[in-house]
Structures are given as structure tokens and as C-alpha cells.
Amino acid sequence: MEQLKQRIREEGKIRGTNEILKVDSFLNHQMDVAFLGEIGKAFRDRFADCQVDRILTIEASGIAIAYGASQAFGNLPLVFAKKNKTKNIAGDVYISQVESFTQSKRPYNIFVSKDFLHAGEKVLIIDDFLANGSALHALIEIVHQAGAEVVGAGIVIEKAFQPGGELLRKEGVRVESLARIQSMSEETGVVFCE
């Protein structure tokens, strides 16, 4: 998605070499709502050949992106995995564990109420970043616990220099990334995969 690459070039802030890319001016802190709608349409186009019954993401950064995708798919039900089991999650839950790249690899559990994910559903997973793939693996595990099927994963930005995308594709997961980064550094900026 060329417009996304341009926004990353112009507004993205890189910390270190192949470490952190901050896109918080338009994607995951301050949000450009119209642009999120365009991202949603891009996911709809990429997965137009799939039946999708439900969209699944993880809080917090994935929610607004998945909302745009939900609208583009005709307002599909959107569920997000919570990082804390709070008192307002009643009943049984599906649970999996994530080891976050951006949170010092400190593992945490994610939860989805069994009320909102059902056997036989075809689920599209949406997220902002793909690095090592831990969050996606955890979401896939939750879908499988529910007896549902993952039709694919829509990723806004994939760090292709990290193993997550390649591992997931080798496992047979359809991963569609709108921008794939080959390398990045404060000196050279972002280099996109062809």
C-alpha cells in the first residue's frame, strides 16, 4: 500500500537499527481515522476471496485498525483479546500467552470470552505490527481453542527482517502485510521489501 509506505517515510520515527518503528502520529496513538478506513479497504481487497464471519485483534493498538477492517467488510463482528481478565469478563474464556517484542519480552496472558468466538466461524486476524509473531500465534491458538478457522492475518506493518512472518507462512497461515520492511535505521531510514 503505497500511501502507507509514504506515511511511514514521512512520519515514522526509528529507534535503533532494526528495533522500534514509531508510527504513533497516525496509527496507534493518534489515529488518522480516514486513513484507517483506507487500511480497512486494503484488507478487504486482500481477503476478498475469503469468507470472513468475524474479525479478531488484540488490545490496544489493533482495535482501531480492526474497526476499519470491520466496516470495510460490511460491519462484521469485531472481537479483541484483552490483556487482563477484568471483573467485567463474565464466564469462561479462551486464554493464550504472548511474549511481546515491545514490552521487554515480558510474557502476558490474553483472554477472549467464549461468548464472542464460536466453533465453525471463519476468523480474520488483524494487527498493527508483525515482528516475531508471538501475538499472532497466541490469537491463532485462541481461534483454534474455539473450534473456529483462521482464514488469514492482515498486518499493517511487517518487520520482514524478523522471523514472525516467515514462520507463520511456513505453518500455512495466510499473512497479508500492507507494508513489509526489509531494514530500518536512524541513519538510513526505512527500506521496504519489493
Side-chain angles (χ1 to χ4, degrees):
M1 182 177 180
E2 201 52 47
Q3 185 183 5
L4 173 61
K5 291 178 183 177
Q6 191 61 35
R7 296 286 297 263
I8 293 169
R9 284 185 196 102
E10 292 173 1
E11 299 176 51
K13 293 180 176 66
I14 301 165
R15 302 290 183 255
T17 298
N18 289 342
E19 289 185 30
I20 303 293
L21 172 63
K22 292 179 54 117
V23 287
D24 54 358
S25 66
F26 65 91
L27 190 64
N28 55 17
H29 194 73
Q30 172 176 272
M31 295 173 211
D32 182 332
V33 176
F35 187 58
L36 291 175
E38 293 303 310
I39 287 172
K41 290 175 189 171
F43 286 134
R44 181 201 60 214
D45 294 346
R46 298 267 181 121
F47 290 98
D49 61 331
C50 295
Q51 176 187 334
V52 180
D53 301 316
R54 188 171 302 267
I55 293 176
L56 176 65
T57 191
I58 190 168
E59 69 174 345
S61 298
I63 296 172
I65 298 159
Y67 178 86
S70 170
Q71 284 193 313
F73 276 92
N75 298 313
L76 288 177
L78 164 60
V79 177
F80 67 91
K82 294 189 173 210
K83 294 181 181 176
N84 295 297
K85 188 175 179 190
T86 58
K87 291 179 182 179
N88 65 351
I89 298 180
D92 291 332
V93 295
Y94 302 111
I95 184 170
S96 190
Q97 191 172 77
V98 176
E99 189 173 287
S100 174
F101 178 76
T102 55
Q103 295 185 21
S104 303
K105 298 193 179 200
R106 184 180 61 231
Y108 59 88
N109 290 330
I110 59 171
F111 307 87
V112 172
S113 170
K114 290 185 178 182
D115 292 337
F116 304 125
L117 198 57
H118 309 105
E121 289 183 320
K122 299 196 180 300
V123 179
L124 175 62
I125 297 172
I126 299 289
D127 207 0
D128 59 345
F129 277 92
L130 172 56
N132 291 316
S134 181
L136 274 182
H137 274 112
L139 290 169
I140 290 167
E141 182 180 324
I142 283 176
V143 172
H144 290 164
Q145 287 175 29
E149 176 188 341
V150 175
V151 298
I155 305 299
V156 179
I157 301 169
E158 178 182 344
K159 295 178 178 179
F161 54 85
Q162 291 182 283
E166 183 179 342
L167 289 171
L168 286 157
R169 289 178 181 100
K170 283 182 180 176
E171 293 169 8
V173 178
R174 179 177 175 182
V175 178
E176 296 283 346
S177 301
L178 302 182
R180 295 184 72 234
I181 296 174
Q182 179 179 322
S183 65
M184 60 184 190
S185 73
E186 294 176 52
E187 295 77 32
T188 61
V190 175
V191 177
F192 293 99
C193 298
E194 293 301 319

